[in-house]
Amino acid sequence: MLRQISLGTLGLTIGGILTIIGFVAYAANNATLNLVGFFYGIPLLLGGLALKANELKPVPFSQTTSPTALILRQQQATDTQNKIRKDITRYFYGQDAHLDTTLSFLGLSPTDEERPTVTGLREIEVNGSYALILEFYSPLIPIDVWQKKQEKMTTYFGPGVEVQITQPFENKIELALINNQKESIVNSQ
């Protein structure tokens, strides 16, 4: 639940309310509320502004996860698949882009301008296995560069994960992380 709440928006809202209460209390000559508004409201407001300026919004699911995929996630998802899913579907602060360090390590982000952008994700079942599909907008890194990095990706994303790369449309790359171990690995969602 907290993963889906923007801390910047929360800080702006609460800070704004307390600051307004402080100004109203100042005008009404109420010293106690005045202090609350100024000493808590203004710092919260400024903190909310700072967080909002560095906020990275969650990546949306491109399609609803089927009940079958949810069951497979509970039974088969690896730690890596769960971590990626949880990380990119929450607000982040102070990062340039989702998976920016991963893409840099894999050699798929030579510059900030060329870095592919995660635009969506979905969870599906592939031949009885759980699969996490990451959708990238990649106009400057062609599919052949992605495919050359496939072996490095397989090693990077860990044991128990098969990596498949496809290009369904121009400038769109889909990176499928498929569990290749049929037995239960992790029971967390």
Short mmCIF file of all heavy atoms in Angstrom, two decimals, residues 44-67:
data_model
loop_
_atom_site.label_atom_id
_atom_site.label_comp_id
_atom_site.label_asym_id
_atom_site.label_seq_id
_atom_site.Cartn_x
_atom_site.Cartn_y
_atom_site.Cartn_z
N LEU A 44 7.91 20.48 5.96
CA LEU A 44 7.24 19.41 5.23
C LEU A 44 6.92 19.83 3.79
O LEU A 44 7.07 19.04 2.86
CB LEU A 44 5.94 18.99 5.94
CG LEU A 44 6.08 17.99 7.07
CD1 LEU A 44 4.76 17.81 7.81
CD2 LEU A 44 6.55 16.65 6.53
N LEU A 45 6.49 21.06 3.62
CA LEU A 45 6.20 21.58 2.29
C LEU A 45 7.46 21.58 1.42
O LEU A 45 7.44 21.13 0.28
CB LEU A 45 5.62 22.98 2.40
CG LEU A 45 5.20 23.66 1.10
CD1 LEU A 45 4.01 22.94 0.49
CD2 LEU A 45 4.86 25.12 1.36
N LEU A 46 8.56 22.05 1.97
CA LEU A 46 9.82 22.08 1.23
C LEU A 46 10.34 20.66 0.94
O LEU A 46 10.85 20.38 -0.14
CB LEU A 46 10.87 22.89 1.98
CG LEU A 46 10.59 24.39 2.10
CD1 LEU A 46 11.63 25.07 2.97
CD2 LEU A 46 10.51 25.03 0.73
N GLY A 47 10.20 19.77 1.93
CA GLY A 47 10.59 18.38 1.72
C GLY A 47 9.75 17.73 0.64
O GLY A 47 10.26 16.99 -0.21
N GLY A 48 8.45 18.01 0.64
CA GLY A 48 7.57 17.48 -0.40
C GLY A 48 7.96 17.99 -1.78
O GLY A 48 7.94 17.24 -2.76
N LEU A 49 8.30 19.27 -1.86
CA LEU A 49 8.76 19.84 -3.14
C LEU A 49 10.04 19.16 -3.63
O LEU A 49 10.17 18.84 -4.81
CB LEU A 49 8.99 21.34 -3.00
CG LEU A 49 7.76 22.23 -2.98
CD1 LEU A 49 8.13 23.65 -2.60
CD2 LEU A 49 7.06 22.20 -4.32
N ALA A 50 10.98 18.94 -2.71
CA ALA A 50 12.24 18.29 -3.08
C ALA A 50 12.00 16.86 -3.57
O ALA A 50 12.58 16.42 -4.57
CB ALA A 50 13.19 18.29 -1.90
N LEU A 51 11.15 16.13 -2.86
CA LEU A 51 10.85 14.75 -3.29
C LEU A 51 10.12 14.74 -4.63
O LEU A 51 10.40 13.90 -5.49
CB LEU A 51 10.02 14.03 -2.22
CG LEU A 51 10.76 13.62 -0.96
CD1 LEU A 51 9.78 13.09 0.09
CD2 LEU A 51 11.81 12.57 -1.28
N LYS A 52 9.19 15.65 -4.81
CA LYS A 52 8.43 15.70 -6.05
C LYS A 52 9.34 16.00 -7.24
O LYS A 52 9.15 15.48 -8.33
CB LYS A 52 7.34 16.77 -5.93
CG LYS A 52 6.19 16.60 -6.85
CD LYS A 52 5.40 15.37 -6.48
CE LYS A 52 4.15 15.29 -7.33
NZ LYS A 52 3.57 13.97 -7.32
N ALA A 53 10.37 16.83 -7.01
CA ALA A 53 11.30 17.18 -8.08
C ALA A 53 12.14 15.99 -8.51
O ALA A 53 12.60 15.92 -9.66
CB ALA A 53 12.20 18.32 -7.64
N ASN A 54 12.38 15.03 -7.60
CA ASN A 54 13.21 13.86 -7.90
C ASN A 54 12.41 12.57 -8.01
O ASN A 54 12.97 11.49 -7.92
CB ASN A 54 14.28 13.69 -6.81
CG ASN A 54 15.30 14.79 -6.86
OD1 ASN A 54 15.86 15.04 -7.92
ND2 ASN A 54 15.53 15.45 -5.76
N GLU A 55 11.11 12.68 -8.20
CA GLU A 55 10.23 11.52 -8.17
C GLU A 55 10.25 10.76 -9.50
O GLU A 55 10.21 11.35 -10.57
CB GLU A 55 8.81 12.00 -7.86
CG GLU A 55 7.81 10.90 -7.68
CD GLU A 55 6.48 11.46 -7.23
OE1 GLU A 55 5.68 11.87 -8.09
OE2 GLU A 55 6.26 11.51 -6.00
N LEU A 56 10.31 9.45 -9.38
CA LEU A 56 10.21 8.55 -10.53
C LEU A 56 8.95 7.73 -10.33
O LEU A 56 8.84 6.97 -9.37
CB LEU A 56 11.46 7.66 -10.58
CG LEU A 56 11.68 6.79 -11.80
CD1 LEU A 56 11.73 7.64 -13.07
CD2 LEU A 56 12.97 6.02 -11.66
N LYS A 57 7.98 7.92 -11.21
CA LYS A 57 6.68 7.27 -11.04
C LYS A 57 6.76 5.75 -11.29
O LYS A 57 7.62 5.29 -12.01
CB LYS A 57 5.67 7.88 -12.00
CG LYS A 57 5.35 9.32 -11.69
CD LYS A 57 4.23 9.83 -12.56
CE LYS A 57 3.86 11.26 -12.34
NZ LYS A 57 4.24 11.94 -11.18
N PRO A 58 5.85 4.99 -10.68
CA PRO A 58 5.83 3.55 -10.89
C PRO A 58 5.53 3.19 -12.35
O PRO A 58 4.82 3.92 -13.04
CB PRO A 58 4.69 3.06 -10.00
CG PRO A 58 4.35 4.17 -9.09
CD PRO A 58 4.81 5.43 -9.74
N VAL A 59 6.08 2.08 -12.79
CA VAL A 59 5.80 1.58 -14.13
C VAL A 59 4.46 0.84 -14.07
O VAL A 59 4.26 0.00 -13.20
CB VAL A 59 6.92 0.62 -14.60
CG1 VAL A 59 6.58 -0.02 -15.93
CG2 VAL A 59 8.24 1.35 -14.68
N PRO A 60 3.55 1.15 -14.99
CA PRO A 60 2.24 0.50 -14.94
C PRO A 60 2.26 -0.90 -15.55
O PRO A 60 3.10 -1.21 -16.40
CB PRO A 60 1.36 1.43 -15.79
CG PRO A 60 2.32 2.02 -16.78
CD PRO A 60 3.63 2.16 -16.04
N PHE A 61 1.34 -1.74 -15.11
CA PHE A 61 1.13 -3.03 -15.74
C PHE A 61 0.42 -2.77 -17.07
O PHE A 61 -0.56 -2.03 -17.12
CB PHE A 61 0.26 -3.95 -14.86
CG PHE A 61 1.02 -4.60 -13.74
CD1 PHE A 61 1.18 -3.97 -12.52
CD2 PHE A 61 1.60 -5.85 -13.92
CE1 PHE A 61 1.88 -4.55 -11.49
CE2 PHE A 61 2.31 -6.45 -12.90
CZ PHE A 61 2.45 -5.81 -11.68
N SER A 62 0.88 -3.38 -18.15
CA SER A 62 0.28 -3.16 -19.46
C SER A 62 -0.97 -4.01 -19.65
O SER A 62 -1.76 -3.74 -20.55
CB SER A 62 1.29 -3.44 -20.57
OG SER A 62 1.76 -4.76 -20.49
N GLN A 63 -1.12 -5.04 -18.85
CA GLN A 63 -2.34 -5.84 -18.86
C GLN A 63 -2.54 -6.44 -17.48
O GLN A 63 -1.60 -6.60 -16.72
CB GLN A 63 -2.29 -6.94 -19.93
CG GLN A 63 -1.35 -8.08 -19.63
CD GLN A 63 -1.29 -9.11 -20.75
OE1 GLN A 63 -1.35 -8.76 -21.91
NE2 GLN A 63 -1.16 -10.36 -20.41
N THR A 64 -3.78 -6.75 -17.18
CA THR A 64 -4.11 -7.32 -15.89
C THR A 64 -3.51 -8.72 -15.78
O THR A 64 -3.57 -9.50 -16.73
CB THR A 64 -5.64 -7.40 -15.72
OG1 THR A 64 -6.18 -6.10 -15.94
CG2 THR A 64 -6.01 -7.87 -14.33
N THR A 65 -2.94 -9.02 -14.64
CA THR A 65 -2.35 -10.33 -14.41
C THR A 65 -3.45 -11.36 -14.19
O THR A 65 -4.34 -11.16 -13.38
CB THR A 65 -1.42 -10.29 -13.18
OG1 THR A 65 -0.44 -9.26 -13.40
CG2 THR A 65 -0.71 -11.62 -12.97
N SER A 66 -3.36 -12.46 -14.92
CA SER A 66 -4.38 -13.51 -14.82
C SER A 66 -4.23 -14.25 -13.50
O SER A 66 -3.14 -14.28 -12.91
CB SER A 66 -4.25 -14.48 -15.99
OG SER A 66 -3.07 -15.25 -15.84
N PRO A 67 -5.31 -14.88 -13.02
CA PRO A 67 -5.21 -15.67 -11.79
C PRO A 67 -4.17 -16.79 -11.90
O PRO A 67 -3.48 -17.10 -10.93
CB PRO A 67 -6.61 -16.24 -11.61
CG PRO A 67 -7.51 -15.30 -12.36
CD PRO A 67 -6.69 -14.78 -13.51
#
